[in-house]
Amino acid sequence: LADAAVVLLWRLTSIGEKNRIVDLLFRTFVVNATVEETMKFLTRKKFIKKDLAKVSRLDVITYMAIAAMGFGLFEDILYMFQTNIGQILVRGFLMGHVGYGMIMGRLYGKEMKEGTTLYKVLGILIPILLHGLYNFSLGEDLPEVFNFVVVTETFIVTAYLIYSIF
């Protein structure tokens, strides 16, 4: 719903119609990444704030991973009707949303422990930047170097996800 509201406002400006790259940047970094990661962040705030004294850093990472799985699953269901089986399997296996959620959870847990607002800010900014870069790099009509960006980021986030689990 938040995505739709932002898209509607964006279309009313007509800026995206004049420049495809600006439109792609806005849609991927603002509409997709910022809205989705902010919703995950607010979900975290709602559930973790309730009983902060009993919440460990590992709990925070787990909560964020679970919230991210929900977002990823919802998005994957939508993709089922828009794309091919290969992309669906890759998205399901790589779980980018979970990696972004775990990064957010780790940084927010660090903010809880140290009381430094910087970690909370990084906890929202880093997932937004990674998510936006990933989505942007999949845009049509971009140079082939962006395929390398997608593969590299996917490898890094997946490695981080596996490292965090073990």
Side-chain angles (χ1 to χ4, degrees):
L1 190 57
D3 282 4
V6 174
V7 167
L8 178 63
L9 292 172
W10 175 244
R11 287 189 179 156
L12 289 174
T13 68
S14 301
I15 294 170
E17 295 172 11
K18 297 173 187 160
N19 188 322
R20 290 179 58 175
I21 297 297
V22 171
D23 186 53
L24 181 61
L25 282 166
F26 184 84
R27 284 186 294 110
T28 55
F29 279 92
V30 177
V31 175
N32 300 142
T34 300
V35 171
E36 289 178 24
E37 299 304 327
T38 300
M39 290 301 159
K40 285 183 215 171
F41 185 78
L42 294 174
T43 300
R44 169 229 28 110
K45 191 172 183 174
K46 179 181 178 184
F47 288 104
I48 295 173
K49 269 266 199 225
K50 285 184 180 178
D51 201 1
L52 198 55
K54 296 181 183 177
V55 176
S56 72
R57 288 175 62 194
L58 186 56
D59 290 335
V60 174
I61 294 168
T62 303
Y63 291 153
M64 292 310 307
I66 292 168
M69 281 182 206
F71 278 88
L73 180 62
F74 179 74
E75 197 172 271
D76 290 344
I77 289 170
L78 294 176
Y79 271 103
M80 269 185 4
F81 301 105
Q82 299 174 353
T83 191
N84 59 48
I85 190 72
Q87 186 178 22
I88 292 168
L89 291 173
V90 168
R91 287 180 57 83
F93 176 72
L94 296 177
M95 298 184 292
H97 281 281
V98 177
Y100 305 145
M102 291 179 83
I103 291 167
M104 186 182 290
R106 183 173 293 260
L107 289 165
Y108 181 64
K110 195 163 176 84
E111 187 267 338
M112 285 174 43
K113 180 180 179 189
E114 297 182 16
T116 306
T117 306
L118 174 65
Y119 292 115
K120 189 188 308 185
V121 172
L122 290 175
I124 187 89
L125 285 181
I126 291 173
I128 287 171
L129 292 173
L130 288 171
H131 192 163
L133 180 63
Y134 178 84
N135 286 2
F136 177 78
S137 298
L138 291 173
E140 296 176 14
D141 302 326
L142 291 177
E144 285 188 22
V145 71
F146 285 98
N147 293 332
F148 176 75
V149 172
V150 168
V151 170
T152 302
E153 181 183 325
T154 300
F155 175 77
I156 291 169
V157 171
T158 303
Y160 176 78
L161 180 67
I162 292 167
Y163 169 79
S164 293
I165 290 171
F166 292 103

